Amino acid sequence: MERLKIAVQISGRGSNLQALIDACAEPRYPAEIALVISNIAGAQGLERATKASIQTRVIEHRDYYSRRAFDSEMTREITAAGAELICLAGFMRMLSDEFVDHWRDRLINIHPSLLPAFKGLDVQAAAIEAGVRFSGCTVHFVRREMDTGPIINQSAVPIHDDDTADTLAARILVQEHRIYPHAVRLIAEGRVTIEGERVMIDGAEAPAEALINPTPV
Ligand code: GRF
């Protein structure tokens, strides 16, 4: 089986990277990680990659005179590694339009809200503050505008009355670790197409049940 080569870009903890590493350890999983790039030298995710014998590269933005120069270096490394899909996994740097356009439809991100609601940072606190009864996470193709782009999959979680940003983030993170490897699998299996700004997934089924919070009694 020919496996899709992916590059993962991180800046920190790397728990989503770990979920991808674990998925790729499965012999029948259709993707493999060719390279992990971090823009932060001490990122915990780098240790996870090294432990799994995955090639890593630290590219620190302050070593480059412009965002474009930094991004070109990443493109050079990713191309050299033979990666065909880039997964952003807690990569905390804005990407240049050139980079996003170059990798159009081959660049995906995971975000801890049900997009298009709650873009940007501190989104768990923002969801609690707004009083929504559900939040969740989204895997999407990346477009120039931050946290926009065709949505591949989402998981919804309930918000509890006593939630803090941390308890909600933890509940969402469990789902992130499920949907990110699944999104990569769908792409690697060649089942994902983009029509307009909508993703179509060959052979995918939507759940039959609605979610209601609080549960009606
Ligand atoms: C996750 O919440 C992800 O959705 C967001 O950044 C966080 C990264 O966490 N983009 P980790 O580094 O994967 O543990």
Side-chain angles (χ1 to χ4, degrees):
M1 177 186 64
E2 189 63 36
R3 299 172 112 202
L4 182 77
K5 287 195 169 64
I6 64 176
V8 185
Q9 292 185 205
I10 60 164
S11 299
R13 180 177 60 180
S15 70
N16 279 288
L17 166 65
Q18 187 67 56
L20 291 169
I21 291 172
D22 294 346
C24 291
E26 170 69 42
R28 291 207 318 261
Y29 191 73
E32 64 184 304
I33 305 175
L35 177 66
V36 171
I37 292 182
S38 173
N39 66 320
I40 306 284
Q44 195 194 333
L46 287 168
E47 289 166 34
R48 299 179 190 267
T50 305
K51 215 171 174 182
S53 308
I54 296 165
Q55 191 193 348
T56 61
R57 181 87 162 74
V58 175
I59 305 179
E60 288 185 286
H61 48 264
R62 57 163 182 265
D63 293 343
Y64 296 83
Y65 63 92
S66 70
R67 194 181 293 278
R68 280 181 67 173
F70 167 70
D71 286 358
S72 316
E73 179 62 10
M74 290 197 297
T75 289
R76 215 182 53 72
E77 287 288 341
I78 294 163
T79 308
E84 301 145 288
L85 176 73
I86 303 173
C87 302
L88 303 178
F91 185 72
M92 303 304 284
R93 250 342 255 172
M94 292 284 290
L95 295 163
S96 63
D97 289 348
E98 288 78 9
F99 185 89
V100 172
D101 293 349
H102 178 83
W103 292 101
R104 189 183 166 94
D105 301 345
R106 298 178 295 163
L107 172 60
I108 64 176
N109 179 47
I110 185 149
H111 179 79
S113 78
L114 292 175
L115 289 174
F118 308 114
K119 296 173 177 147
L121 296 173
D122 295 327
V123 292
Q124 295 91 349
I128 292 170
E129 177 87 359
V132 293
R133 295 258 162 209
F134 291 97
S135 190
C137 45
T138 304
V139 181
H140 63 99
F141 287 101
V142 173
R143 294 291 183 257
R144 287 183 176 195
E145 199 83 4
M146 192 165 65
D147 299 327
T148 67
I151 291 170
I152 302 162
N153 58 357
Q154 295 185 303
S155 175
V157 306
I159 294 183
H160 302 169
D161 286 350
D162 60 354
D163 264 331
T164 62
D166 286 345
T167 59
L168 178 58
R171 190 173 309 122
I172 292 172
L173 199 61
V174 173
Q175 301 304 314
E176 294 187 37
H177 299 161
R178 296 177 66 193
I179 69 167
Y180 214 178
H182 188 232
V184 171
R185 170 189 283 281
L186 293 171
I187 293 170
E189 288 176 346
R191 295 165 60 191
V192 171
T193 49
I194 305 172
E195 292 177 19
E197 282 302 270
R198 215 175 154 201
V199 168
M200 297 294 164
I201 303 168
D202 194 34
E205 261 180 52
E209 288 295 311
L211 288 172
I212 302 175
N213 179 22
T215 304
V217 283

